[in-house]
Structures are given as structure tokens and as C-alpha cells.
Amino acid sequence: MDIIEKQQRIEAINGIIKIRWFITIIIVGLGFALKAKYFGSWGIGWGTSFISAYLKIGLLGTFVFGYNFIFWLIMRRLSRKDLGKINTKTLNIMSIMQIIPDQLIFTVVYYFQGTVDTMNFMFYFLSFFFAGSIYKTRGIILTGAISGFLYSAVTIIEAQGIIPHFNTYQGVTFFGSVYVTRGRIFSFICYIGIITFVAAFVSNLIKNREKRLRQQRDQLSGQTQLLTVQTQELIQTKDYLHEALTKSDKARGELEKTKADLENANLELKAKLDEVEKYGEVTTGRELKMIELKEKMKSMEERIKELEEQINKQ
Amino acid sequence: MDIFEKQQRIESINGIIKVRWFIAVIIIGLGFLLKIKYFGWTSGFSGSSVSAYIKLGVFGAVAFGYNFIFWLFVRWLARKPIEKISDRVLNIMSVLQIIPDQLMFTFVYYNTGTVDSMSFVFYFISVFLVSSLYRSRGIILTGALAGFLYTGLLIIEYQGLIPHFNTYQGVTLFGSDYVIRGKIVTFICYIGVMTFVSAFLSNLIRNREKKLREKSDQLSGQTQKLTVQTQELTQTKNYLHEALTKSDKARGELERTKADLEKANLELRAKLDEVEKYGEVTTGRELKMIELKDKIRTLEQRITELEKDKN
């Protein structure tokens, strides 16, 4: 059993315990009421005297309340425990205990109220409601088999005269007719068949529905987890990209500044160079003049030489 | 009803129709068997064996007939898209899963011998089945209807308005005041118990389903939100990625421009240095030129002196 199954099992058992309080009160109350004179003193069901009959019914009720109280205590203790620690065996035993003691009590009630005369064979069908909320098909079929066995056994043993019969109603009884015994047992088994089938159908319908819903939930849960991881990854990537972009922008800004600085520097350099070059052009003019001057000097020196020669000749 | 509830309703009705085939077969089979001599089932479905078998057969045919109509109708419904199936149609179909059966059960209960018979138990099948369709209110109404039909039939029969059929040869509980009183009180108590149990289980299961559905809806909402978030984040991521690519590209270009500028800067500096060096050379020459001019002046003076001398 997985945790959800355990949870459901516990929930179902708790529900059955609650219902049992109510059913016990109704059945005991009904027993008390039917024993009243208005209903024909209810023949000799539960014995002839009122007081002993009421005591017997009260005792049986107390017994049921007793075991239901024990179940309630156990379940209360179980539900305090961690779900993972509750073992499957305990839950399986508790589940069976919701079916078998009730069926035995129903058999006792059925016998004391007058077997074939009474309507209370239908109590057995209550167990099917319970089994339907706890078990799947197999458990429900087994519950049916137990009911069939207990009912048939009591009816046959009584018909054989091994145990006495109590009339349900004053003055009239079905007991003693072989047709009644045959018909009742046969009908009961057929009814048990129908109820088993119906209970199994309802149980499977509900269990399948729940399974589908659970699958859907698990699928969605998986999807959500995946999306959460994906979102986290995306947020990381986004943050990383954002950081990278900020850095890149900053670096670009710096580059932009450097570029502007360089452009300025280049412009300044160019201006300087132009100036220098203009100066250079001026000096180039002088160069020519210097050559001129040198030539002039040469010619002057030649003239001086000439003049000196002429003077010397004189 | 939302889509989910409609789906569940249709599923339940389909299930009940399936179960009804089976129940009808069992009940009719049981009737046929009980009518044989071995069970001494005397005047139940009264008359001779042949007429009783015919009655049972007709009765079975009616049950099969209406179940077949339900089956056809639900098959036709299931072909339609779920949103188009109206709540009213489903509600009518749901009620039809309960009332005709209960009328049939009453009919069977009467013909098999009322107080003598065990077949009052059939009413409980309805209560069981109804728990798959309705919540507390529907289940309680089903119980009330069963109580009314059962009590009504017993009282009418007891008053002698309709004849009684014995279930078993030779013995009958019919005619006793105590039996009538006991049976009615007991049946009502049983129906009460069954109704309570059925409502309790139905609510248990429906609450469980509701919890699961709520959880699913919550998860579905979360998933949707996360999907939108993921889409937005993917968009932002793509946008950022694009911006980063552009920024990187622009930076690359800037890097290149910077390198170019740096190169140009270096070249300019080199040229300037060269030019300045040349400038220094020319400054030297300037001095030389002044010197030359001085020399020329000296030479001119000399020439003038020499010319004077010559003359």
C-alpha cells in the first residue's frame, strides 16, 4: 500500500466506526421497540420475559459498542503515528475487523429475532457498503461468501432442530416449512450475488475515478515541478545575460570615451602638424634664399678676388 | 454542473445501466426457479406455472425494454460534446435510474407475496446505486420514496383492496396485525440505516474527489502561471541575448575604431616628431643665414673698400 492508499484506508475505517455507533443505536432501539406489546410482544424472540429480553438486547448492544470503542481507540492511536510507519498488516487486520465481527453479530441478531420470520437478513448487506469503501472486487466477493455461509448455516441448523426457533410475530410463523427454508436460502444467495455485484461495481467506479484524478494530479505535479526548474534556470540565464549586458555596456561606454579622447588627440595632433608644416614651408623659402645668398657670396668673393687682382696689377 | 460533474454523471448512468442488465437477469432467473415445485412458491405471480412464467417474462421484457431505451439514449448523449449536454437532460436521466426501478421493485414485491417475501431488499439496491449519482439529498429522497411505496403497498393489501399472494405453500404471515406493524416499522428503520450509510459513504467519496480536484485545479493554475512566466522569461532572455549580441558587435567595432585611431595617433606623433626635428635643423640654418648675411655685409664692405682703393 502506498501512502495515499493507507490514508484512504484509515479514512474509510474511521468512517465505518462512526457509522457503527449510529447503526447499533438504531438496531438496539428497534429491538426494544419491537419487543413492546403493540408489535405482538415479538413472540419469544430474545426469550419470553421482557426483562431478560431487554437485558439480552442491551448486552449485545454493549458488546458492539465495546468493540467499536476499541477500534476507535486503535484508530486514534494509529492516526497519531506517522503514515509511513503504519504497517500494512495492521491496516489489513483492522479492515477485516470491520467486516467479520459485524457479520457474526448480525447472525446472532438474525437467530434471536426469528430467522425465516424476520426481515433482518438485510443487515448482512450493510457489510457490503463497508466492504465497498475498503476493498476492491475480491474483498467484496469474500464478504458475500461469508454472509452466504453464515445465513445458510444458521437457517439449516435451526431447520434440523439442533437449536430452537423463536417466532418473530405472535401467532404466525414460517418455521417448519421445507419450502420456506429452501426458498429463503436460495433467494438470499441470489440477493447476496446481486449486492456483491452492485457493491463491486460502485467500488470500482469510484476507485477508478479516484485513480484517474490521482494520475491527473500526479501528472500536473510533475509538470509544475519541471516548469519550476525550467523557470529557475531561465531566471539564472536571464540574470547572467543581464550582468553580461551591463558589463558589455559599461565596456562600450569606456571604449566610446577612449575613442572620443583619441579623436580629440588626433585632431590636436593634426592641427599642430599643419602648423608645423606651414612653418616648414616658410623655412623652405629661406633655404632657397640661403642658396641665393651663398651664390651671391660666391659671386661677391669672386668679385673681391677680381678686384684684388686688379689692384695688385695696378 | 461543470464538465467534470457531467462526465461523472454520464459514467455513473452508464454503469447503472450495465448493472441493471445483470440485476434483471438474476431477478427473473430467481423468479423462474422459485416457481418450480421444489420451492413450493405457490401463488406468487399467480395462476398456473405457464401463465406465471409468461407474466414473469413480460415483466422482464419491460425492464429490459426501458433499460435498452436508456442505453440507446446515453449512447446518443455520449456522442455529443459534453458542453452541449444540458443539465436538465442529465437530471431527468438520473431520476429515471431510480423511479422506474422502484416501481418495478414494488410490483415484484407485491407479486412475490409482500409480507411473506424477502424481496423488499431490492429497494436497497436503489439506495446503493443512487450513491453513485446523488449527494445526501438525492439519497434521502430515494429512501423516502422506497418507504412510501413499501408502506403504501402493505397497507392497501392489508385493507383488502388488492388480493394477497402467498409466497410459500401452506404458510403465510399475511393477516396478522403484528406482522404489518412490525414489517413497516422495521422497513422504515432499515431504509433509514441504509440511507444514512449510503449518504455517509457518498459524501466520504465525494469529499475525497473534491479534495483531489481542488489539488488538481490548484496545480493546473500553478502550471498555467508558470507557463506564462516561462514564456515571458524566454522572451526576456531572447531580448537580452539579442541586446548582448548587438552590444558585443558594437564593442567589437569600437575596439577596431579605437585601434585605428591609436594607429593614426602614433603615425601623427611620428610625423610631428620628424617635422619638429626638421624644424630644429632649419632653425640652425636661420642662424647660419644671419651669419651669411653678416658675411655678405662684410664682403660688400670689402668690395666697396676695394673699389675705392681701385679708383
Side-chain angles (χ1 to χ4, degrees):
Chain A
M1 271 194 267
D2 63 19
I3 287 191
I4 294 166
E5 279 174 313
K6 279 185 187 172
Q7 232 168 1
Q8 290 195 336
R9 205 42 100 76
I10 291 172
E11 206 182 39
I13 293 174
N14 279 330
I16 291 170
I17 291 170
K18 269 189 214 160
I19 293 177
R20 195 177 287 113
W21 299 121
F22 174 79
I23 291 177
T24 312
I25 290 171
I26 295 266
I27 294 178
V28 171
L30 187 64
F32 279 14
L34 287 177
K35 197 66 196 166
K37 266 241 151 70
Y38 179 71
F39 295 106
S41 302
W42 201 15
I44 48 168
W46 301 100
T48 38
S49 93
F50 275 105
I51 294 167
S52 85
Y54 279 157
L55 277 177
K56 276 186 201 163
I57 294 171
L59 208 68
L60 195 74
T62 312
F63 181 65
V64 176
F65 271 118
Y67 73 70
N68 205 32
F69 184 70
I70 293 168
F71 293 162
W72 179 74
L73 276 182
I74 292 174
M75 289 317 286
R76 213 176 59 148
R77 205 182 56 120
L78 269 188
S79 55
R80 280 209 198 119
K81 275 214 240 173
D82 191 25
L83 264 185
K85 279 189 187 162
I86 298 173
N87 67 14
T88 312
K89 217 169 76 177
T90 310
L91 280 180
N92 280 336
I93 291 172
M94 279 309 284
S95 304
I96 290 176
M97 295 303 281
Q98 302 315 307
I99 308 297
I100 293 178
D102 286 352
Q103 295 229 331
L104 292 173
I105 293 285
F106 291 153
T107 308
V108 171
V109 172
Y110 175 65
Y111 172 67
F112 279 107
Q113 289 199 340
T115 55
V116 289
D117 290 343
T118 130
M119 292 165 91
N120 66 17
F121 64 91
M122 62 72 61
F123 285 146
Y124 289 106
F125 301 139
L126 283 174
S127 283
F128 286 89
F129 270 104
F130 297 165
S133 71
I134 296 179
Y135 294 119
K136 294 191 183 212
T137 316
R138 219 180 50 177
I140 296 169
I141 291 172
L142 281 174
T143 305
I146 295 172
S147 304
F149 171 75
L150 289 172
Y151 179 90
S152 309
V154 169
T155 311
I156 289 168
I157 289 170
E158 200 197 40
Q160 296 296 321
I162 297 170
I163 45 174
H165 172 73
F166 304 115
N167 281 0
T168 304
Y169 306 103
Q170 212 172 12
V172 280
T173 183
F174 270 146
F175 186 70
S177 161
V178 73
Y179 298 131
V180 171
T181 308
R182 286 176 194 162
R184 292 258 148 168
I185 291 175
F186 190 73
S187 299
F188 184 78
I189 287 168
C190 280
Y191 294 165
I192 279 286
I194 292 177
I195 289 277
T196 303
F197 184 80
V198 171
F201 156 73
V202 171
S203 164
N204 282 330
L205 184 88
I206 284 149
K207 276 183 210 281
N208 287 338
R209 240 186 231 170
E210 267 185 16
K211 203 173 142 192
R212 267 207 311 262
L213 276 169
R214 253 163 57 192
Q215 271 170 354
Q216 201 186 336
R217 190 200 58 190
D218 290 349
Q219 196 196 330
L220 277 168
S221 179
Q223 220 175 321
T224 308
Q225 259 175 353
L226 203 89
L227 277 168
T228 308
V229 170
Q230 217 177 326
T231 309
Q232 271 168 357
E233 276 172 10
L234 273 170
I235 288 173
Q236 260 175 13
T237 313
K238 195 201 80 182
D239 287 348
Y240 168 77
L241 279 171
H242 195 264
E243 205 184 322
L245 189 64
T246 313
K247 271 187 196 160
S248 178
D249 277 351
K250 204 175 150 199
R252 213 180 51 195
E254 273 166 21
L255 271 172
E256 216 75 78
K257 225 169 88 188
T258 315
K259 193 190 119 187
D261 285 351
L262 275 170
E263 270 169 356
N264 266 343
N266 281 0
L267 278 177
E268 273 169 29
L269 277 171
K270 263 193 195 139
K272 209 169 179 184
L273 198 66
D274 277 357
E275 205 183 307
V276 171
E277 269 176 356
K278 217 188 270 167
Y279 177 72
E281 263 164 42
V282 175
T283 47
T284 311
R286 278 196 193 140
E287 191 85 347
L288 291 171
K289 212 174 174 182
M290 203 155 83
I291 293 166
E292 211 177 293
L293 279 173
K294 272 186 184 165
E295 271 169 14
K296 203 176 174 181
M297 212 168 73
K298 222 183 205 173
S299 68
M300 280 172 93
E301 268 169 359
E302 269 169 26
R303 176 80 180 138
I304 289 169
K305 225 178 223 177
E306 211 179 289
L307 281 172
E308 272 174 348
E309 268 171 23
Q310 278 175 5
I311 289 167
N312 285 340
K313 268 179 198 172
Q314 276 176 356
Chain B
M1 274 192 265
D2 63 19
I3 288 184
F4 183 80
E5 280 174 315
K6 280 184 186 173
Q7 242 169 356
Q8 287 198 333
R9 215 25 113 73
I10 291 172
E11 202 184 43
S12 297
I13 294 174
N14 267 324
I16 291 172
I17 290 170
K18 271 189 212 157
V19 171
R20 192 178 288 113
W21 297 122
F22 176 81
I23 294 176
V25 168
I26 295 264
I27 295 179
I28 291 160
L30 185 63
F32 276 21
L33 278 169
L34 288 176
K35 199 67 199 168
I36 60 178
K37 270 241 152 67
Y38 179 72
F39 294 106
W41 200 34
T42 50
S43 50
F45 281 93
S46 61
S48 67
S49 286
V50 177
S51 84
Y53 280 149
I54 290 170
K55 277 187 200 161
L56 271 169
V58 169
F59 173 76
V62 171
F64 272 112
Y66 72 71
N67 206 30
F68 184 71
I69 292 168
F70 292 163
W71 178 75
L72 274 184
F73 189 72
V74 171
R75 211 177 61 148
W76 176 76
L77 266 190
R79 282 209 198 118
K80 276 214 246 178
I82 278 197
E83 315 81 61
K84 280 191 185 165
I85 299 172
S86 70
D87 285 4
R88 222 176 59 181
V89 172
L90 280 180
N91 282 333
I92 292 172
M93 275 310 280
S94 303
V95 170
L96 282 175
Q97 301 315 306
I98 307 300
I99 294 178
D101 284 354
Q102 294 227 338
L103 293 173
M104 288 301 256
F105 292 153
T106 307
F107 187 68
V108 170
Y109 181 62
Y110 173 65
N111 275 290
T112 55
T114 55
V115 290
D116 292 345
S117 151
M118 290 167 92
S119 62
F120 67 89
V121 85
F122 291 141
Y123 289 108
F124 302 132
I125 293 174
S126 272
V127 178
F128 218 138
L129 287 177
V130 82
S131 70
S132 72
L133 285 175
Y134 292 119
R135 282 160 195 252
S136 310
R137 217 179 52 177
I139 296 171
I140 291 169
L141 282 175
T142 305
L145 180 67
F148 171 76
L149 289 172
Y150 179 90
T151 313
L153 178 65
L154 277 196
I155 290 170
I156 290 170
E157 197 198 41
Y158 184 70
Q159 297 294 325
L161 298 175
I162 46 175
H164 173 73
F165 306 118
N166 281 359
T167 305
Y168 306 105
Q169 212 170 11
V171 282
T172 183
L173 295 177
F174 184 70
S176 159
D177 264 0
Y178 301 133
V179 170
I180 282 288
R181 288 176 194 159
K183 290 250 161 176
I184 289 173
V185 169
T186 309
F187 183 81
I188 286 168
C189 278
Y190 290 171
I191 271 288
V193 170
M194 276 289 180
T195 304
F196 180 80
V197 173
S198 184
F200 185 86
L201 288 179
S202 168
N203 283 332
L204 184 88
I205 284 148
R206 266 167 226 276
N207 286 340
R208 241 189 233 167
E209 276 180 7
K210 204 176 143 197
K211 259 188 263 173
L212 276 169
R213 262 176 74 195
E214 268 169 14
K215 180 88 189 157
S216 283
D217 287 350
Q218 194 199 327
L219 280 169
S220 182
Q222 218 176 324
T223 305
Q224 257 174 353
K225 225 166 75 182
L226 277 169
T227 308
V228 170
Q229 213 180 329
T230 307
Q231 271 169 357
E232 276 172 4
L233 276 171
T234 307
Q235 259 174 15
T236 313
K237 195 200 83 182
N238 288 340
Y239 168 75
L240 279 172
H241 196 265
E242 206 181 318
L244 189 64
T245 313
K246 269 186 196 159
S247 178
D248 277 350
K249 204 177 150 198
R251 213 180 52 195
E253 270 167 24
L254 271 173
E255 209 87 67
R256 232 174 297 139
T257 314
K258 193 190 121 190
D260 286 351
L261 280 170
E262 271 171 350
K263 210 172 134 199
N265 192 277
L266 281 176
E267 274 172 8
L268 278 171
R269 269 176 211 283
K271 210 167 176 185
L272 198 65
D273 277 356
E274 202 183 310
V275 171
E276 272 177 352
K277 214 187 275 168
Y278 177 72
E280 267 165 34
V281 173
T282 46
T283 311
R285 275 196 193 139
E286 193 83 350
L287 292 170
K288 217 174 173 183
M289 206 151 83
I290 294 166
E291 209 178 297
L292 274 175
K293 275 186 183 165
D294 281 350
K295 229 173 190 175
I296 285 172
R297 217 173 290 139
T298 338
L299 283 172
E300 269 175 355
Q301 274 173 359
R302 177 79 179 140
I303 289 171
T304 322
E305 265 170 41
L306 281 171
E307 275 178 351
K308 245 183 218 166
D309 283 353
K310 195 187 141 185
N311 292 332

